Coordinates of all heavy atoms in Angstrom, one line a residue:
S170 N 51.9 50.4 -33.7 CA 50.8 50.9 -32.8 C 50.8 52.4 -32.8 O 51.8 53.0 -33.1 CB 51.0 50.3 -31.4 OG 52.2 50.9 -30.8
G171 N 49.6 53.0 -32.5 CA 49.5 54.4 -32.4 C 49.2 55.1 -33.7 O 48.9 56.3 -33.7
A172 N 49.4 54.5 -34.8 CA 49.2 55.1 -36.2 C 49.0 53.9 -37.2 O 49.2 52.8 -36.8 CB 50.3 56.0 -36.6
S173 N 48.7 54.3 -38.4 CA 48.6 53.2 -39.4 C 49.3 53.7 -40.7 O 48.6 54.3 -41.6 CB 47.2 52.8 -39.7 OG 46.4 53.9 -40.1
F174 N 50.6 53.6 -40.8 CA 51.3 53.9 -42.0 C 52.2 52.8 -42.3 O 52.6 52.0 -41.5 CB 52.1 55.2 -41.9 CG 53.1 55.3 -40.8 CD1 54.4 54.7 -40.9 CD2 52.8 55.9 -39.6 CE1 55.3 54.7 -39.9 CE2 53.7 55.9 -38.6 CZ 55.0 55.3 -38.7
K175 N 52.5 52.6 -43.6 CA 53.5 51.6 -44.0 C 54.1 52.1 -45.4 O 53.4 52.2 -46.3 CB 52.8 50.2 -44.2 CG 53.8 49.2 -44.7 CD 53.2 47.8 -44.7 CE 54.1 46.7 -45.3 NZ 55.5 46.8 -45.1
S176 N 55.4 52.3 -45.4 CA 56.0 52.7 -46.6 C 56.4 51.5 -47.4 O 56.4 50.3 -47.0 CB 57.3 53.4 -46.3 OG 58.3 52.5 -45.9
D177 N 56.6 51.7 -48.7 CA 57.3 50.7 -49.5 C 58.7 50.6 -49.1 O 59.2 51.5 -48.4 CB 57.2 51.1 -51.0 CG 55.7 51.2 -51.5 OD1 54.9 50.4 -51.0 OD2 55.4 52.0 -52.4
L178 N 59.4 49.6 -49.6 CA 60.9 49.6 -49.4 C 61.5 50.8 -50.1 O 61.1 51.1 -51.2 CB 61.5 48.3 -49.9 CG 61.2 47.0 -49.2 CD1 61.8 45.8 -49.9 CD2 61.7 47.1 -47.7
F179 N 62.5 51.4 -49.5 CA 63.2 52.5 -50.2 C 64.7 52.4 -49.9 O 65.2 51.9 -48.9 CB 62.7 53.8 -49.8 CG 62.6 54.2 -48.4 CD1 63.5 55.1 -47.9 CD2 61.6 53.7 -47.6 CE1 63.4 55.5 -46.5 CE2 61.5 54.1 -46.3 CZ 62.4 55.0 -45.7
S180 N 65.5 52.9 -50.9 CA 67.0 52.7 -50.9 C 67.7 53.9 -50.4 O 67.1 54.9 -50.1 CB 67.4 52.5 -52.4 OG 66.7 51.4 -52.9
K181 N 69.0 53.7 -50.3 CA 69.9 54.8 -49.9 C 69.6 56.1 -50.7 O 69.4 56.0 -51.9 CB 71.3 54.4 -50.0 CG 72.3 55.5 -49.5 CD 73.7 55.0 -49.5 CE 74.6 56.1 -48.9 NZ 75.9 55.5 -48.6
G182 N 69.5 57.2 -49.9 CA 69.2 58.5 -50.6 C 67.8 58.8 -50.7 O 67.4 59.9 -51.1

Side-chain angles (χ1 to χ4, degrees):
S170 67
S173 59
F174 58 82
K175 179 172 178 32
S176 74
D177 296 330
L178 288 178
F179 56 103
S180 303
K181 184 173 184 166

